[in-house]
Amino acid sequence: MKHIPEHLQTLVGQAVKRIDTPALVIDLDAMDRNMERMARFARQHGVLWRPHAKLHKSAHIAHLLEQAGACGHCVQKVSEAEALAEGGVNNIFISNEVIAPLKLARVAALAKALSAQGGRLAIAVDCEEGVTRLAQAMQGAQAGNAAIDVLVEIDVGQNRCGVEPGEAAVVLARAIQAQPTLLFAGLQAYHGGAQHLRTAQERKAAIEQVLKLVNRTRHEFDRAGIEIPLITGAGTGTMVNEAVSGVYGEIQPGSFLFMDADYAANQHDAAQPVFEHALYVKTQVMSLSKDHAVCDAGHKSHAIDSGLPRLHALAPEHALRFANGGDEHGVLHPDAEAGNTSGWLPALGDTLWLIPGHCDPTVNLHDHLIGVRGGRLKGVVERIFTVDGRGALT
């Protein structure tokens, strides 16, 4: 796990105002409530939940999720899996395809190591060549009795990775079963694009189409006499639809933990828990002009792929609009449409809180997350989390 520098360690127990800017801050009370609501939702619907660790990239936070009831964790990269495993996490699903022999050698070594510790590694495949190469890597690692769980990913509408639903998935499952070091563990059926459809009805309709493809695939497996141990997928935007389907045994929401501005733009589904914003960029005003202010959080401190951040907890008469000022600066304008008709601006040195547009790549810009207990205004720093998987791209 990564080192925490002394200047951050000394923050623990100190007031929020002592946090230098820009900094990525977790409201721990809100995060805890989000975990409790997710755990309750999963219990009520009889499904497992395996959150995506690409959101927080922290082994410590992964352990907190396990304590709350998570059955394991999803990652997208081998290096993310290695970072979590180094931090003591031992139930990991690489919910992505890995083809490169060098990476597959690392996958096999990690599967062997986790198995020796009583853990499990799983991975997704979507072609026979991927199955063959994975089996060769396991043999090369001399894994002995260790085996790796392998899920067949089917394309359920994302048009990204995944084999064609139906008979093609059966062919892959048979190929997996033919390899002694590979265990067919089920189907990966995740539609990422559906997570950000804005209305609840749009998201429901998209998952109805997903379920048609999944059920078509289930029918082909029944015809072939092959049992599907698990169907997994779903994200924060659509999880209520997969959870009530009776088809999915496991859901994979991750963003629920922090919630970003893009997810907040979705219409809430009344059947889904209300998740709170728990991740903020703390910033302060560093320059002031007659018609705008400038803060010290540019896009080196927050991702902009899903839009610019939003200012949090400002009264309508103090509403501000965030504009991109480049790498190191954010430009703040009075937002008359939201109620700031007087042209009010914050004072030089004032603290402001930004809700990132997209949490995952925002976290990846930081080495540490500062956990605050008791609120952003009067709280204290409780702990510092290392972003163990920062830059884990391979």
Side-chain angles (χ1 to χ4, degrees):
M1 297 175 70
K2 294 185 176 180
H3 172 69
I4 300 175
E6 185 177 353
H7 77 276
L8 286 179
Q9 293 179 24
T10 59
L11 276 177
V12 175
Q14 301 221 29
V16 171
K17 66 181 180 181
R18 300 288 297 175
I19 301 172
D20 201 1
T21 60
L24 200 55
V25 177
I26 301 175
D27 181 334
L28 294 175
D29 300 303
M31 185 178 81
D32 286 350
R33 289 191 292 269
N34 287 343
M35 286 193 288
E36 290 167 5
R37 290 164 186 162
M38 176 57 73
R40 188 182 312 120
F41 176 87
R43 288 195 303 269
Q44 289 172 343
H45 292 85
V47 292
L48 302 171
W49 56 292
R50 179 182 291 273
H52 272 279
K54 68 185 180 69
L55 170 84
H56 53 78
K57 301 175 178 65
S58 164
H60 201 138
I61 292 178
H63 287 304
L64 292 178
L65 285 159
E66 289 172 353
Q67 292 167 19
C71 68
H73 306 275
C74 292
V75 298
Q76 289 291 88
K77 299 290 187 175
V78 179
S79 50
E80 286 180 336
E82 291 168 333
L84 288 189
E86 186 177 349
V89 177
N90 67 3
N91 191 323
I92 303 170
F93 172 32
I94 303 172
S95 54
N96 202 2
E97 281 66 31
V98 179
I99 288 295
L102 288 176
K103 291 187 181 69
L104 286 170
R106 290 159 54 197
V107 168
L110 185 58
K112 182 179 179 180
L114 289 180
S115 179
Q117 300 165 15
R120 300 294 295 179
L121 183 67
I123 193 168
V125 299
D126 69 355
C127 66
E128 290 191 65
E129 180 67 19
V131 173
T132 300
R133 292 188 183 192
L134 178 60
Q136 290 171 344
M138 291 294 289
Q139 292 166 5
Q142 298 180 337
N145 294 328
I148 185 169
D149 292 337
V150 185
L151 290 91
V152 173
E153 180 168 11
I154 58 174
D155 181 2
V156 290
Q158 180 81 0
N159 296 322
R160 192 168 59 188
C161 297
V163 69
E164 183 75 17
E167 188 176 353
V170 175
V171 172
L172 273 188
R174 285 191 172 124
I176 294 165
Q177 290 178 325
Q179 300 290 345
T181 56
L182 309 184
L183 296 176
F184 173 59
L187 301 178
Q188 162 80 349
Y190 172 72
H191 192 332
Q195 309 309 313
H196 303 282
L197 297 173
R198 290 305 178 208
T199 71
Q201 185 55 45
E202 285 177 305
R203 297 194 297 275
K204 181 180 179 181
I207 300 307
E208 285 174 350
Q209 294 304 309
V210 168
L211 290 171
K212 288 180 181 178
L213 298 174
V214 172
N215 283 324
R216 190 177 96 200
T217 305
R218 291 172 70 200
H219 174 70
E220 293 298 329
F221 272 78
D222 287 342
R223 288 182 57 193
I226 299 175
E227 180 183 354
I228 302 173
L230 179 72
I231 297 176
T232 182
T236 297
T238 68
M239 65 180 203
V240 66
N241 301 289
E242 286 94 342
V244 302
S245 69
V247 172
Y248 284 72
E250 180 181 89
I251 55 174
Q252 302 174 357
S255 294
F256 80 91
L257 188 67
F258 291 158
M259 295 299 288
D260 50 38
D262 190 63
Y263 265 112
N266 278 1
Q267 177 192 65
H268 177 66
D269 189 325
Q272 184 155 312
V274 175
F275 297 117
E276 305 172 48
H277 292 297
L279 186 75
Y280 301 91
V281 177
K282 183 189 178 189
T283 184
Q284 67 174 318
V285 176
M286 60 183 290
S287 179
L288 196 59
S289 299
K290 64 178 181 179
D291 61 353
H292 71 271
V294 179
C295 68
D296 61 359
H299 58 238
K300 281 185 180 177
S301 62
H302 55 79
I304 61 174
D305 61 299
S306 294
L308 295 172
R310 290 196 297 108
L311 275 295
H312 180 67
L314 293 176
E317 63 270 21
H318 294 162
L320 298 171
R321 177 176 53 83
F322 186 99
N324 190 350
D327 290 359
E328 315 295 351
H329 307 90
V331 182
L332 309 172
H333 298 281
D335 191 345
E337 291 184 5
N340 186 356
T341 55
S342 68
W344 177 90
L345 288 169
L348 199 65
D350 276 1
T351 292
L352 296 168
W353 297 87
L354 306 178
I355 302 170
H358 190 182
C359 286
D360 304 29
T362 294
V363 171
N364 196 51
L365 295 169
H366 295 258
D367 286 319
H368 303 94
L369 303 166
I370 301 175
V372 170
R373 183 76 65 187
R376 293 168 292 99
L377 301 181
K378 298 181 179 180
V380 298
V381 175
E382 181 175 284
R383 71 186 332 145
I384 310 296
F385 300 98
T386 54
V387 185
D388 305 303
R390 183 185 180 186
L393 304 178
T394 61

